[in-house]
Amino acid sequence: MAETAITTVLAKVAELVAWEAAVLLEVGDDVRLLRDKLEWLHTFIRDADRRRRRRDDEFVAVWVRQTRDVAFEAEDALDDFLHRAARRHRQATPLAAVLPSCAAAAWPPRCAGQVALRHGLSGRIRQIRKRLDEISANRAAYNIEHTPSPAWATHPSAAAATALAAWDDLEEYTVGFDKYSNMLKEQLIDDAVTGRAIVSIVGESSIGKTTLGRKVYQSPEVRNHFEIRTWTVLPPKCRPADVLRDIYRQASSQLRRSPSSQQSVDDGCGGDAAVTACRPSGKDVGNMLFRNLTGRRYLVVVDGSIAASDWNSLRASLPDEGNGSRVVLITDMAGLEVVAYAAGPMHSRIELERLSPENTYEVFRRRVFGHGGDCPRQHRSRYYQKIFQITRGLPLSIVVLAGVLRFKELPAEWDEVMSQLVTAREPSSKNGNSRRIMSLAFDDLPHHLKSCFLYFAAMRESATVDAQRLVRLWVAEGFVRPRRGSTMEEVGQGYLKELISRCMVQLVDKDEFGVVQTVVVHDRLHAFAQDEAQEASFIESHDSTDVLAPATVRRLAVQNSSERYVHLSNALPKLRSVVCDLVDGRNGGGGGKCIQCTDLGFLHASKFLRVIDIHGLELKKLPNEIGSMIHIRYLGLQCGQLEKLPPSVSNLVNLQSLILKGRNAGHVLDVTAAFWRIATLRHVVAPFALPKVLGDLHSLQTLHGVQHLCWDTRRGGGGGNPLGTSTNLRSLELSGLHAKHAAALTAALESLDMLVHLMLDGESLPSTVFTIPSLRRLQSLKLRGSMDSPEGPGGGHDDDEATADDGVVRYIRPNLTRLSMWSTMVGQKFVDMLGELPSLAELTLMVAAFDGERLEFRDGRFRSLQKLKLGLPELEEWTVRAGAMASLARLTLFGCLKMRMLPEALAGIPELEEVVLYRMPIMVERIKKHGGEDHHKVKHVPVIQTIW
């Protein structure tokens, strides 16, 4: 659509207008006149885009397309000017003198080359303005009238007259699904059917099949009944081996891997290495899955359409031992062939129907007003009827319409919206207003959110999207507007929350502080985004190699599930972004094999690139030409065993995010010292060795996967503060620590008062990490390695002094919410100190984290603790005193083979919802309902899982 194209150009023009006068000499007036012309067009194009989507006027469609093409031409002219200017500046100036952005480069205004550049830009802008004038004249000649947007569309953030549900109070309510839910539970846990039975959930798209399945899948009855549960979403054109591999990965994570593996560095460089052991080769995956499931009652859910031949491959890998295992197939009506073809015991299919008028209104009410709110009584009856008339009981249509009306004033704007949809409804259409409701919801988005939503077209269908990665991409693309008092990432989080609140995006997970972790887009909305992005030339999405018009592609999304080789050899001169998800991240390619590509030669001609985000290519090095792509803001590679980076990467003077992940755990990549002087850096996740001192990196927020091999290790802190200029760091992960690094590390931490996440890994870790006053904002702490003071910072004092020190933590670490420890070898006094942390909600103590055979949680300690994971093989006795961990909701014990019994205090914790025992056969016997000595301690717990 033309609106997003003009928005992008206006943002770029604003950047140019902010340049120094010397740079804009003889060009500034032309740039400003272009901006004025585009701003006027912007006011007209929104209405024209809406009419173009309705396809009620071919003249409008032509006008929109021509306007968009001219906007693209303007963007090309400005980017070409930036590129040439920066290249000349780099040739004339040593890299050390490069300013934070090429846009601020102050080069001599009278140099012949620079004058020619300015004249060239000025000429192109005049031609573009002339074309815009012609397009405007055509609008008048063909009577393309401007219809002002209705009031409800011009004020998308108007406050509703009644109280609304919170942005995250959008639970997938299964209103009207009670009978289906009961049927599904009965079929899953029916002891009368002992064979491996097939359970099917069918219905039209958007009817709520996945929502129903998820609710039952996560119910206490089902979680208690099955030892192994897996849920696999089938992407389009997936291969049978990938389906098996995903099921195998999930099953293995429940059988073999410690819960601590999920606590591995989420944003670090060794994540892939940590799970390599769970990846079988393609030929063996079926046999290994069969062996893992043998002897266990399992539940396998397959969400999506699967071919009958692929079903054969899956069925052969699932043992049938008469123990009540189940396979659930969630599919639309087209998938009934497989349901009918499936051999073996089969329950009657559960076929979902649309919601009744009463349940339609109930879903709508909860989405708009929250669980206890409702529409004012005087308006309720007419909206009750209209909502069902518009949506016809289709759940997706209901929630999307609710997302629009949440931001409208009641009743005036509600009536305008509904009258438009009621008038437009096509009675003959099976889906009624479904597509039109999505179009209206999209039209109602503010300018900046339209680009953010369309960006989901670059993501894999039905796949969960990492919110942190998504927001960084938005920032690099220029979609996020600066806001005083907030970082760009915080503003981007706000954008994502608004999309969630508008029901365009579904929230999957958020942390204790309300930060969105993962999201997903419904497949119907994803298809709408892809259609709209394709129509507007916003993103070209391909699942193979057929880039239809390489000379015009501006953003390319490649999603390949069915092939192992990708060849993209055509030049892409207009390309701004390339997002490749060539192997599903859940599977990781299996056996360490990624899709292969000879090189990134197709990028060499793409001098305007801003974003490179590639998952799944087998790359060992980047081409040296990468350094000439000075527009790059985001460089993300999850590509096997990347062995080296070219020195030219230091030329990327606009780089914001460098994300390098692979299976080369422990391998440190070399990078020049000049890289650490790129002042625009915001996020670095890469296996680099830090220099003694970083450059002026005031924008740096994330530093993960790095080692400080070059830090000054002189005693007394003679080396100074190596991170002294990076005072805005929010997240830091360091490895390779030794005792000799203590002084430099302490100096660094003392200056990082914005830090919220810290991970330290090494042979010796300073216990002062709990007492450095500057880390008051710290929320998450991970420690891997021996503490230099096992009894805590006050370990050298007598008992009275140590007790006093315990209380200090309460005030110095008021926000510490998550703490994970491995190999720290701390003593009981250290644990007592941890018990004083006022906000600690999640504690993980894994192998060798505690040095002792008896662990005690003393009276009143750990008052905020909700999740506890203990993996201490040497632990024999665990005592919990009265009032300790009174808020505990989930307890996980892993491999505590010497533990004699569970604490008696567990019986008095009413909030305890789940107990998970990994590899603890003796304890499993002790908690059995009949004759178990510890059964009375956990009989009130709804979910008890035992995994061997």
Tab-separated table of all heavy atoms in Angstrom, residues 599-601 603-604 612 614 617 619-627 629 632 635-637 639 641-649 652 658-660 669 688:
chain	number	residue	atom	x	y	z
A	599	ASP	N	27.230	-18.951	-1.321
A	599	ASP	CA	27.678	-17.707	-0.693
A	599	ASP	C	26.501	-16.752	-0.655
A	599	ASP	O	25.375	-17.119	-0.945
A	599	ASP	CB	28.860	-17.089	-1.453
A	599	ASP	CG	28.532	-16.816	-2.912
A	599	ASP	OD1	27.329	-16.679	-3.234
A	599	ASP	OD2	29.466	-16.751	-3.720
A	600	LEU	N	26.757	-15.518	-0.262
A	600	LEU	CA	25.722	-14.496	-0.261
A	600	LEU	C	25.901	-13.567	-1.449
A	600	LEU	O	25.710	-12.357	-1.348
A	600	LEU	CB	25.771	-13.710	1.055
A	600	LEU	CG	25.472	-14.516	2.330
A	600	LEU	CD1	25.556	-13.634	3.564
A	600	LEU	CD2	24.097	-15.168	2.251
A	601	GLY	N	26.261	-14.155	-2.566
A	601	GLY	CA	26.544	-13.353	-3.753
A	601	GLY	C	25.368	-12.518	-4.201
A	601	GLY	O	25.538	-11.443	-4.778
A	603	LEU	N	23.618	-10.726	-2.542
A	603	LEU	CA	23.543	-9.482	-1.795
A	603	LEU	C	24.537	-8.435	-2.283
A	603	LEU	O	24.454	-7.272	-1.888
A	603	LEU	CB	23.792	-9.752	-0.303
A	603	LEU	CG	22.803	-10.691	0.402
A	603	LEU	CD1	23.194	-10.853	1.859
A	603	LEU	CD2	21.382	-10.166	0.286
A	604	HIS	N	25.496	-8.837	-3.121
A	604	HIS	CA	26.574	-7.921	-3.488
A	604	HIS	C	26.066	-6.651	-4.166
A	604	HIS	O	26.656	-5.581	-4.002
A	604	HIS	CB	27.574	-8.633	-4.408
A	604	HIS	CG	28.321	-9.727	-3.708
A	604	HIS	ND1	29.160	-10.609	-4.372
A	604	HIS	CD2	28.345	-10.108	-2.422
A	604	HIS	CE1	29.669	-11.457	-3.499
A	604	HIS	NE2	29.183	-11.180	-2.314
A	612	ILE	N	19.724	-7.622	7.443
A	612	ILE	CA	20.040	-8.992	7.028
A	612	ILE	C	19.758	-9.884	8.219
A	612	ILE	O	20.423	-9.783	9.251
A	612	ILE	CB	21.508	-9.144	6.586
A	612	ILE	CG1	21.834	-8.226	5.410
A	612	ILE	CG2	21.807	-10.593	6.212
A	612	ILE	CD1	23.292	-8.277	4.989
A	614	ILE	N	19.181	-13.894	8.716
A	614	ILE	CA	19.194	-15.177	8.007
A	614	ILE	C	19.353	-16.311	9.009
A	614	ILE	O	20.308	-16.340	9.790
A	614	ILE	CB	20.339	-15.221	6.972
A	614	ILE	CG1	20.150	-14.105	5.925
A	614	ILE	CG2	20.382	-16.572	6.288
A	614	ILE	CD1	21.255	-14.030	4.903
A	617	LEU	N	21.276	-20.953	6.892
A	617	LEU	CA	22.277	-21.160	5.849
A	617	LEU	C	23.545	-21.749	6.461
A	617	LEU	O	23.934	-21.415	7.580
A	617	LEU	CB	22.629	-19.830	5.174
A	617	LEU	CG	21.615	-19.282	4.164
A	617	LEU	CD1	22.136	-17.986	3.583
A	617	LEU	CD2	21.355	-20.273	3.059
A	619	LEU	N	26.908	-21.276	6.553
A	619	LEU	CA	27.934	-20.285	6.234
A	619	LEU	C	29.130	-20.452	7.152
A	619	LEU	O	28.981	-20.698	8.349
A	619	LEU	CB	27.384	-18.859	6.414
A	619	LEU	CG	26.338	-18.361	5.420
A	619	LEU	CD1	25.906	-16.967	5.808
A	619	LEU	CD2	26.894	-18.362	4.020
A	620	LYS	N	30.314	-20.311	6.600
A	620	LYS	CA	31.530	-20.299	7.409
A	620	LYS	C	32.176	-18.921	7.446
A	620	LYS	O	32.974	-18.638	8.332
A	620	LYS	CB	32.527	-21.338	6.886
A	620	LYS	CG	32.037	-22.769	7.070
A	620	LYS	CD	33.131	-23.778	6.744
A	620	LYS	CE	32.645	-25.195	7.033
A	620	LYS	NZ	33.697	-26.214	6.752
A	621	LYS	N	31.831	-18.078	6.493
A	621	LYS	CA	32.369	-16.722	6.502
A	621	LYS	C	31.449	-15.812	5.708
A	621	LYS	O	30.652	-16.260	4.886
A	621	LYS	CB	33.783	-16.681	5.934
A	621	LYS	CG	33.883	-17.085	4.466
A	621	LYS	CD	35.328	-17.005	3.982
A	621	LYS	CE	35.414	-17.379	2.509
A	621	LYS	NZ	36.809	-17.285	1.996
A	622	LEU	N	31.577	-14.534	5.983
A	622	LEU	CA	30.837	-13.521	5.244
A	622	LEU	C	31.726	-12.928	4.170
A	622	LEU	O	32.935	-12.819	4.354
A	622	LEU	CB	30.379	-12.405	6.191
A	622	LEU	CG	29.237	-12.710	7.148
A	622	LEU	CD1	29.009	-11.535	8.083
A	622	LEU	CD2	27.969	-13.022	6.381
A	623	PRO	N	31.140	-12.502	3.056
A	623	PRO	CA	31.957	-11.854	2.030
A	623	PRO	C	32.487	-10.512	2.532
A	623	PRO	O	31.814	-9.805	3.276
A	623	PRO	CB	30.980	-11.668	0.861
A	623	PRO	CG	29.632	-11.664	1.491
A	623	PRO	CD	29.721	-12.588	2.658
A	624	ASN	N	33.697	-10.161	2.095
A	624	ASN	CA	34.295	-8.901	2.522
A	624	ASN	C	33.482	-7.708	2.041
A	624	ASN	O	33.547	-6.619	2.629
A	624	ASN	CB	35.733	-8.810	2.003
A	624	ASN	CG	36.525	-7.718	2.689
A	624	ASN	OD1	36.633	-7.703	3.918
A	624	ASN	ND2	37.063	-6.785	1.923
A	625	GLU	N	32.690	-7.899	0.961
A	625	GLU	CA	31.886	-6.803	0.429
A	625	GLU	C	30.815	-6.317	1.402
A	625	GLU	O	30.211	-5.263	1.192
A	625	GLU	CB	31.207	-7.238	-0.872
A	625	GLU	CG	32.152	-7.454	-2.043
A	625	GLU	CD	32.806	-8.832	-2.024
A	625	GLU	OE1	32.570	-9.577	-1.051
A	625	GLU	OE2	33.532	-9.152	-2.980
A	626	ILE	N	30.597	-7.071	2.485
A	626	ILE	CA	29.592	-6.654	3.459
A	626	ILE	C	29.902	-5.267	4.001
A	626	ILE	O	29.005	-4.493	4.348
A	626	ILE	CB	29.518	-7.685	4.616
A	626	ILE	CG1	28.238	-7.490	5.428
A	626	ILE	CG2	30.715	-7.607	5.528
A	626	ILE	CD1	27.017	-8.052	4.803
A	627	GLY	N	31.182	-4.917	4.045
A	627	GLY	CA	31.571	-3.628	4.597
A	627	GLY	C	31.154	-2.441	3.766
A	627	GLY	O	31.149	-1.302	4.255
A	629	MET	N	28.159	-2.074	2.543
A	629	MET	CA	26.721	-1.869	2.731
A	629	MET	C	26.501	-1.023	3.976
A	629	MET	O	26.004	-1.485	5.000
A	629	MET	CB	26.016	-3.224	2.845
A	629	MET	CG	26.232	-4.119	1.639
A	629	MET	SD	25.527	-5.762	1.856
A	629	MET	CE	26.116	-6.592	0.368
A	632	ILE	N	23.431	-0.789	6.618
A	632	ILE	CA	22.987	-1.910	7.442
A	632	ILE	C	22.829	-1.490	8.899
A	632	ILE	O	23.744	-0.958	9.525
A	632	ILE	CB	23.959	-3.106	7.337
A	632	ILE	CG1	23.837	-3.758	5.960
A	632	ILE	CG2	23.654	-4.141	8.422
A	632	ILE	CD1	24.748	-4.943	5.764
A	635	LEU	N	22.256	-6.978	11.499
A	635	LEU	CA	22.930	-8.113	10.877
A	635	LEU	C	22.773	-9.309	11.809
A	635	LEU	O	23.410	-9.384	12.865
A	635	LEU	CB	24.414	-7.804	10.644
A	635	LEU	CG	25.258	-8.930	10.042
A	635	LEU	CD1	24.681	-9.401	8.721
A	635	LEU	CD2	26.705	-8.477	9.857
A	636	GLY	N	21.876	-10.219	11.441
A	636	GLY	CA	21.604	-11.389	12.266
A	636	GLY	C	21.829	-12.657	11.479
A	636	GLY	O	21.243	-12.854	10.411
A	637	LEU	N	22.682	-13.543	11.983
A	637	LEU	CA	23.014	-14.791	11.297
A	637	LEU	C	22.950	-15.943	12.291
A	637	LEU	O	23.670	-15.947	13.292
A	637	LEU	CB	24.420	-14.718	10.688
A	637	LEU	CG	24.683	-13.603	9.671
A	637	LEU	CD1	26.166	-13.561	9.316
A	637	LEU	CD2	23.843	-13.805	8.420
A	639	CYS	N	23.657	-19.412	11.555
A	639	CYS	CA	24.099	-20.123	10.349
A	639	CYS	C	25.220	-21.111	10.640
A	639	CYS	O	26.373	-20.893	10.244
A	639	CYS	CB	24.568	-19.119	9.291
A	639	CYS	SG	23.297	-17.963	8.785
A	641	GLN	N	28.282	-23.120	11.501
A	641	GLN	CA	29.586	-22.861	12.100
A	641	GLN	C	30.268	-21.687	11.407
A	641	GLN	O	31.145	-21.866	10.559
A	641	GLN	CB	30.448	-24.117	12.030
A	641	GLN	CG	29.820	-25.294	12.774
A	641	GLN	CD	30.708	-26.524	12.755
A	641	GLN	OE1	31.832	-26.489	12.280
A	641	GLN	NE2	30.187	-27.617	13.287
A	642	LEU	N	29.885	-20.508	11.789
A	642	LEU	CA	30.510	-19.309	11.264
A	642	LEU	C	31.909	-19.186	11.856
A	642	LEU	O	32.081	-19.121	13.070
A	642	LEU	CB	29.681	-18.078	11.625
A	642	LEU	CG	30.087	-16.765	10.980
A	642	LEU	CD1	29.891	-16.819	9.470
A	642	LEU	CD2	29.280	-15.617	11.570
A	643	GLU	N	32.933	-19.203	11.009
A	643	GLU	CA	34.315	-19.266	11.471
A	643	GLU	C	34.993	-17.913	11.572
A	643	GLU	O	35.885	-17.734	12.385
A	643	GLU	CB	35.130	-20.177	10.540
A	643	GLU	CG	34.677	-21.629	10.566
A	643	GLU	CD	35.472	-22.493	9.597
A	643	GLU	OE1	36.283	-21.922	8.833
A	643	GLU	OE2	35.286	-23.717	9.613
A	644	LYS	N	34.592	-16.954	10.736
A	644	LYS	CA	35.276	-15.668	10.770
A	644	LYS	C	34.397	-14.575	10.216
A	644	LYS	O	33.467	-14.821	9.448
A	644	LYS	CB	36.593	-15.739	9.990
A	644	LYS	CG	36.425	-16.046	8.515
A	644	LYS	CD	37.774	-16.178	7.800
A	644	LYS	CE	38.571	-14.898	7.872
A	644	LYS	NZ	39.816	-14.982	7.067
A	645	LEU	N	34.723	-13.360	10.641
A	645	LEU	CA	34.091	-12.160	10.115
A	645	LEU	C	35.134	-11.365	9.348
A	645	LEU	O	36.286	-11.277	9.766
A	645	LEU	CB	33.530	-11.294	11.245
A	645	LEU	CG	32.286	-11.781	11.981
A	645	LEU	CD1	31.930	-10.803	13.098
A	645	LEU	CD2	31.114	-11.918	11.031
A	646	PRO	N	34.752	-10.751	8.242
A	646	PRO	CA	35.716	-9.932	7.512
A	646	PRO	C	36.014	-8.646	8.287
A	646	PRO	O	35.141	-8.108	8.972
A	646	PRO	CB	34.998	-9.629	6.198
A	646	PRO	CG	33.552	-9.711	6.537
A	646	PRO	CD	33.429	-10.776	7.580
A	647	PRO	N	37.225	-8.122	8.193
A	647	PRO	CA	37.550	-6.855	8.878
A	647	PRO	C	36.635	-5.717	8.456
A	647	PRO	O	36.408	-4.783	9.224
A	647	PRO	CB	39.004	-6.591	8.465
A	647	PRO	CG	39.538	-7.924	8.044
A	647	PRO	CD	38.382	-8.673	7.476
A	648	SER	N	36.086	-5.801	7.245
A	648	SER	CA	35.268	-4.709	6.739
A	648	SER	C	33.978	-4.528	7.512
A	648	SER	O	33.273	-3.526	7.321
A	648	SER	CB	34.950	-4.942	5.259
A	648	SER	OG	34.178	-6.122	5.095
A	649	VAL	N	33.610	-5.478	8.401
A	649	VAL	CA	32.397	-5.309	9.184
A	649	VAL	C	32.482	-4.055	10.044
A	649	VAL	O	31.462	-3.476	10.433
A	649	VAL	CB	32.127	-6.562	10.048
A	649	VAL	CG1	33.067	-6.623	11.236
A	649	VAL	CG2	30.675	-6.602	10.522
A	652	LEU	N	30.611	-0.727	8.998
A	652	LEU	CA	29.151	-0.591	9.085
A	652	LEU	C	28.808	0.446	10.153
A	652	LEU	O	28.376	0.129	11.262
A	652	LEU	CB	28.512	-1.944	9.406
A	652	LEU	CG	28.833	-3.080	8.427
A	652	LEU	CD1	28.180	-4.381	8.869
A	652	LEU	CD2	28.393	-2.712	7.012
A	658	LEU	N	24.061	-6.651	16.039
A	658	LEU	CA	24.832	-7.746	15.451
A	658	LEU	C	24.520	-8.999	16.257
A	658	LEU	O	24.890	-9.101	17.438
A	658	LEU	CB	26.333	-7.453	15.488
A	658	LEU	CG	27.225	-8.565	14.926
A	658	LEU	CD1	26.972	-8.749	13.434
A	658	LEU	CD2	28.698	-8.270	15.173
A	659	ILE	N	23.807	-9.935	15.638
A	659	ILE	CA	23.352	-11.142	16.317
A	659	ILE	C	23.946	-12.339	15.582
A	659	ILE	O	23.535	-12.652	14.460
A	659	ILE	CB	21.816	-11.249	16.330
A	659	ILE	CG1	21.169	-9.916	16.728
A	659	ILE	CG2	21.376	-12.381	17.239
A	659	ILE	CD1	21.477	-9.450	18.120
A	660	LEU	N	24.915	-13.009	16.187
A	660	LEU	CA	25.563	-14.171	15.583
A	660	LEU	C	25.347	-15.373	16.488
A	660	LEU	O	25.842	-15.415	17.618
A	660	LEU	CB	27.064	-13.917	15.390
A	660	LEU	CG	27.458	-12.690	14.562
A	660	LEU	CD1	28.970	-12.574	14.493
A	660	LEU	CD2	26.866	-12.773	13.160
A	669	LEU	N	35.272	-15.491	17.828
A	669	LEU	CA	35.495	-14.847	16.537
A	669	LEU	C	36.346	-13.594	16.716
A	669	LEU	O	36.197	-12.865	17.704
A	669	LEU	CB	34.162	-14.457	15.895
A	669	LEU	CG	33.233	-15.600	15.470
A	669	LEU	CD1	31.913	-15.041	14.954
A	669	LEU	CD2	33.885	-16.461	14.398
A	688	PHE	N	32.676	-12.833	20.848
A	688	PHE	CA	33.804	-11.946	20.656
A	688	PHE	C	34.633	-11.865	21.935
A	688	PHE	O	34.138	-12.099	23.034
A	688	PHE	CB	33.343	-10.531	20.303
A	688	PHE	CG	32.725	-10.383	18.943
A	688	PHE	CD1	31.920	-9.291	18.646
A	688	PHE	CD2	32.940	-11.327	17.950
A	688	PHE	CE1	31.344	-9.145	17.402
A	688	PHE	CE2	32.366	-11.196	16.693
A	688	PHE	CZ	31.570	-10.109	16.427
